[in-house]
Amino acid sequence: AQSVTQLDSHVSVSEGTPVLLRCNYSSSYSPSLFWYVQHPNKGLQLLLKYTSAATLVKGINGFEAEFKKSETSFHLTKPSAHMSDAAEYFCVVSAAYGGSQGNLIFGKGTKLSVKP
Amino acid sequence: DGGITQSPKYLFRKEGQNVTLSCEQNLNHDAMYWYRQDPGQGLRLIYYSQIVNDFQKGDIAEGYSVSREKKESFPLTVTSAQKNPTAFYLCASSTIGFGTGFRQPQHFGDGTRLSIL
């Protein structure tokens, strides 16, 4: 079975300091992994995706994530937070190999606050 | 610009009433999805469709119905059987990556917030 755990429900950083949002996954197969961002009352926007190519994945807005199979982790990082990064972030894992498309598993989200 | 349009942005339901949420995409995607989002619970899949005139139940389909008569459209009806409909509803679409075992990223609309009157 597949599952995803976002280890922090809320992270607060100061503007200009690094961001780390933690995600652990469980998957019986080589997973696809995604990070999405959601601003208030908006839909989800794809930040980056991992699909078994490079383990360090670069996304939009300066975010990146590293796939670590030994630790079953896919943490999201950014070297320097900006006020506009304040939002909720979702880690997402794909389900079983093959089969239907309806098998994305969403984490419960991490709300990022950025202090001036 | 290509994208997904959800309407209305806000919707109110009276007791015993069915309401329909609209979702239209012009991305030429084969697959479409409906999710329900409640605070602190992430997204939960209601229904999805990979092809016209076919759809499958997700994790929380009870009290909801869908149709897929056109590739571009995937409306969701919240029926009176859904006793706790207050939530933020998100529609998404994606291509289908056959053969690779990897899921394509989904593109989301801006959601419809449904409340009870």
Side-chain angles (χ1 to χ4, degrees):
Chain A
Q2 284 72 31
S3 67
V4 59
T5 302
Q6 292 185 241
L7 297 166
D8 306 291
S9 59
H10 190 201
V11 170
S12 182
V13 301
S14 296
E15 191 174 21
T17 65
V19 175
L20 170 63
L21 305 183
R22 299 182 294 164
C23 173
N24 286 356
Y25 71 90
S26 170
S27 178
S28 304
Y29 304 95
S30 296
S32 289
L33 292 157
F34 310 89
W35 275 100
Y36 283 86
V37 60
Q38 184 181 32
H39 292 275
N41 293 310
K42 291 290 190 180
L44 277 67
Q45 180 185 16
L46 180 69
L47 277 178
L48 50 81
K49 64 178 180 180
Y50 166 77
T51 55
S52 85
T55 56
L56 183 62
V57 182
K58 293 190 184 300
I60 62 172
N61 300 335
F63 284 95
E64 62 182 37
E66 187 171 8
F67 174 73
K68 291 188 176 180
K69 187 175 181 179
S70 60
E71 298 176 11
T72 62
S73 70
F74 190 57
H75 301 335
L76 181 70
T77 60
K78 182 173 180 177
S80 176
H82 192 271
M83 295 297 292
S84 61
D85 295 328
E88 190 156 21
Y89 292 79
F90 292 92
C91 182
V92 182
V93 65
S94 66
Y97 188 98
S100 72
Q101 274 288 301
N103 292 336
L104 291 185
I105 310 298
F106 287 79
K108 293 188 185 301
T110 297
K111 192 160 288 186
L112 176 65
S113 299
V114 182
K115 297 175 288 187
Chain B
D1 277 343
I4 299 179
T5 301
Q6 289 188 242
S7 62
K9 192 167 180 66
Y10 299 96
L11 187 58
F12 298 91
R13 196 190 87 169
K14 294 180 182 177
E15 204 69 42
Q17 186 182 42
N18 293 352
V19 292
T20 297
L21 285 60
S22 171
C23 178
E24 303 276 332
Q25 55 101 357
N26 60 5
L27 298 167
N28 199 33
H29 286 169
D30 288 305
M32 296 187 74
Y33 315 81
W34 274 105
Y35 292 93
R36 172 179 170 138
Q37 185 176 25
D38 296 281
Q41 294 198 41
L43 274 67
R44 292 181 289 169
L45 182 66
I46 305 172
Y47 270 98
Y48 64 99
S49 167
Q50 297 182 75
I51 194 169
V52 173
N53 293 323
D54 188 46
F55 45 83
Q56 285 76 42
K57 292 182 179 179
D59 300 320
I60 55 165
E62 187 175 348
Y64 300 97
S65 66
V66 293
S67 62
R68 187 89 186 275
E69 297 177 1
K70 299 186 298 181
K71 186 176 183 178
E72 309 80 45
S73 179
F74 191 42
L76 173 75
T77 296
V78 183
T79 75
S80 56
Q82 172 49 245
K83 296 308 178 190
N84 184 24
T86 298
F88 191 49
Y89 291 86
L90 287 162
C91 179
S93 70
S94 74
T95 58
I96 296 178
F98 286 118
T100 66
F102 295 113
R103 298 294 172 261
Q104 302 302 312
Q106 295 179 9
H107 299 256
F108 286 81
D110 278 343
T112 293
R113 189 166 297 280
L114 176 61
S115 302
I116 297 296
L117 274 179

